[in-house]
Amino acid sequence: MDSKKFLLQEKDIPTAWFNIIPQMPTKPRPMLNPATKQPLSAEDLFPLFSEEAARQEMNTTDSWIEIPEQVRDIYKIWRPTPLVRAAGLEKAIGTNCRIYFKNESVSPVGSHKLNSAIPQAFYCKQQGVTNITTETGAGQWGAALSLASRMFGLDLAVYMVKVSYHQKPYRRSIMQTYGAEVVASPSMSTKAGRKIITDTPNHQGSLGTAISEAVELAMSTPNCKYALGSVLNHVSLHQTVIGLEAEKQMEMAGDYPDIVIGCFGGGSNFSGIAFPFMRHNLEGNKNTTFIAAEPASCPKLTRGVMQYDFGDEAGYTPLIPMLTLGHNFAPANIHAGGLRYHGAGAVVSQLMCDNLMSAVDIPQLESFDAATLFAKAEGIIPAPESAHAIAAAIRQARKADEEGSPKVILFNLSGHGLIDMTAYDRYLAGDLANYEVTDEDVARNVAGLDKII
Ligand SMILES: *Cc1c(COP(=O)(O)O)cnc(C)c1O
């Protein structure tokens, strides 16, 4: 394999996260209180999140937000992450394009999620919080927050989407190894969970059901906060360390990306790789194309509606302005569990509406075709989520070759798939299927939303 790595040093870890909101031509609409439909302030979020996370969530004025020294110190365990020129992949598909990937799979938990788990746990600890609750889909966020909570001596309860709890038992073991308590959602331990089970007895769970349960527990437990691993502005903010490092590394490589790609669940790793490069577009200096790669079975960016919607299934969270399939959309049981979420974060949704980025949807089989091709060519077995970004990168390379204009393509490898081998087993055995969402499914799911926008 002749792939080439571009490495930074500890001193190159960014000292501030990049907040894109001040530079956006149209600011995202505010989150609303679901009862009064009035815009929320940071203070309104204090009961739910750490105060600093709430302030960051609402910060529309500071382009740079300092990374606490304690957080940078922990980042040093695995950051800066490598940027790799994927020469093996280029050769395997016979492209004239130059393809790079940022390798976030090298974190101790195997994904980018730790970039936000560390600061979120730190801010909780700083204000004297003792307990955290959260949800997890494929278990990546739960694993990251379990480790972050352990580092700061906090107790964590994780609601894990039921289908993943059974499909990915080792992620549950990882969380338990770090000392977290893990519950399959929907569960009988919360009002929200009991209602979902009563209405749909064999509900397989979704990120939406798990968020409802985690939020309910946080709101009813003293000195307990909730932490979210995607969708929200402060989570995307923390992930910008990815793109800020990649920017320096592309410079070392003597290249600048024509196309930047990230897979898309709620938007955090996509935002992380994309926003630092997007700021040069917004400043008028560059003309990079940004592509979010979502699963065809959960196509909120390509086929959702722009509307206020809840972040969770039961409707406990604030109303978020989002491209959504409706909060009670039940996605097919694809193996990219981290991409099974009904909506997109407010910032990305607005950027989509303003045509400052685009999206593609990838069928499950195409994602695994790309994953296995990548594994053979680069040696890394990608997470099923990340495979969507790889598939999108391959599509773009082939298109550029057909058009006879080679491009520089950068994608984010959000995680490795070594704990997802059940999914690979099923793919190799020919047992995986594609899932299509019909227009009727989408129409039915969004029909119940309040028409606020
Ligand atoms: C959670 C996860 C995702 C999807 O979440 P985003 O917030 O959209 O980034 C993608 N890849 C991996 C490896 C994940 O764990």
Side-chain angles (χ1 to χ4, degrees), residues 110-113 140-141 229-231 263-270 338-339 383 385-386 414-415:
S111 80
H112 70 287
K113 294 278 193 340
Q140 298 268 29
W141 169 244
S230 183
V231 184
C263 67
F264 200 95
S268 76
N269 92 89
F270 169 81
L339 307 187
E385 291 84 0
S386 317
S414 53

Side-chain angles (χ1 to χ4, degrees), residues 261 291-296 301-302 358-362 388 391-392 395-396:
I261 297 170
I291 302 173
E294 64 182 4
L301 294 175
T302 51
S358 60
V360 292
D361 55 25
I362 307 281
H388 290 71
R395 277 193 194 179
Q396 289 300 315

